[in-house]
Amino acid sequence: MEWPVYERRIEAIIFAAGHPIEIAKISQALDIDENIVKHCIDRLRERYLKQKSALDFLYLDGAVQLVPLPEYADFIRAALALRRGAPLSQAALEVLATIAYNQPVTRAFVDQVRGVDCSGTLRALVDKGLVEEAGRLQIPGKPISYRTTQVFLRSFGLDSLEQLPTLPLSDEVAEEEDSPGELEGQMDFSELA
């Protein structure tokens, strides 16, 4: 089969989905390798770019979605009478950052990091689709763990979590790193979060 046939089928699937669809699902539906799917999407992107299309393909952590270019957002919003979503509060941004950098995490973990009860803020982030349940931990009480979603990635213009900026070191941590002899023999708990 020739490339244009694959490209048309892939384009139709992505358009019809209307939301991010996993590349693996497209691959399975067409019975072709995922690398062929990615190659076809890249070829479609090039064609859209050449044609100065208002659309582009957005990769989101193993999925892809057909989206309008950002410069058309105001026109789309006006045509669909959409209101710009209310900006996230400082508390919501802190909870979201805690989850994004440490996921999956429980509400108790987020509460402990922030030092306050975050249940209302967490519920609001779930309602906005930025955070979702990631399952239950197999410990007493079986608490729910949370993770970020593809909506989170899309909202912050990220393809994957690997694109999150690195966190700056606090002054206290930076001082400790400058004097390595003081911390020898202590455990590093950063990977246990």
Side-chain angles (χ1 to χ4, degrees):
M1 195 175 302
E2 295 183 26
W3 288 110
V5 174
Y6 286 136
E7 289 172 18
R8 287 191 296 271
R9 290 176 182 178
I10 291 168
E11 183 179 29
I13 291 169
I14 294 170
F15 175 80
H19 56 79
I21 182 166
E22 294 173 9
I23 291 171
K25 285 185 179 180
I26 298 171
S27 169
Q28 184 179 11
L30 298 177
D31 195 26
I32 58 175
D33 186 77
E34 287 184 35
N35 290 325
I36 294 174
V37 174
K38 290 176 188 175
H39 180 74
C40 287
I41 293 169
D42 290 341
R43 287 173 50 109
L44 285 165
R45 282 183 102 173
E46 288 174 22
R47 188 172 45 143
Y48 278 40
L49 186 61
K50 269 186 192 171
Q51 295 172 350
K52 297 185 191 258
S53 174
L55 303 174
D56 191 15
F57 293 88
L58 178 66
Y59 286 103
L60 298 162
D61 199 23
V64 65
Q65 182 177 9
L66 187 62
V67 297
L69 295 174
E71 61 255 33
Y72 298 103
D74 291 338
F75 304 114
I76 295 166
R77 197 174 295 113
L80 300 178
L82 296 175
R83 289 181 299 138
R84 178 169 264 221
L88 294 174
S89 67
Q90 184 64 34
L93 287 171
E94 290 173 8
V95 170
L96 196 54
T98 301
I99 295 169
Y101 281 97
N102 299 287
Q103 63 187 305
V105 297
T106 63
R107 193 199 84 214
F109 176 84
V110 176
D111 290 351
Q112 184 178 9
V113 168
R114 292 207 58 243
V116 295
D117 178 17
C118 299
S119 56
T121 304
L122 185 57
R123 198 170 25 258
L125 291 172
V126 169
D127 290 344
K128 288 181 182 286
L130 296 169
V131 172
E132 67 185 1
E133 290 184 15
R136 292 189 175 267
L137 298 182
Q138 297 304 313
I139 59 174
K142 296 190 176 185
I144 298 169
S145 63
Y146 294 91
R147 65 178 171 227
T148 56
T149 65
Q150 290 180 335
V151 172
F152 165 80
L153 293 174
R154 187 172 56 238
S155 298
F156 288 90
L158 303 170
D159 291 336
S160 68
L161 293 172
E162 287 77 37
Q163 290 184 320
L164 285 171
T166 51
L167 294 174
L169 294 175
S170 69
D171 292 338
E172 192 175 296
V173 172
E175 286 175 16
E176 290 173 356
E177 285 188 355
D178 288 341
S179 53
E182 295 176 21
L183 295 176
E184 287 180 7
Q186 293 184 7
M187 289 187 67
D188 177 14
F189 292 100
S190 62
E191 294 183 21
L192 299 177

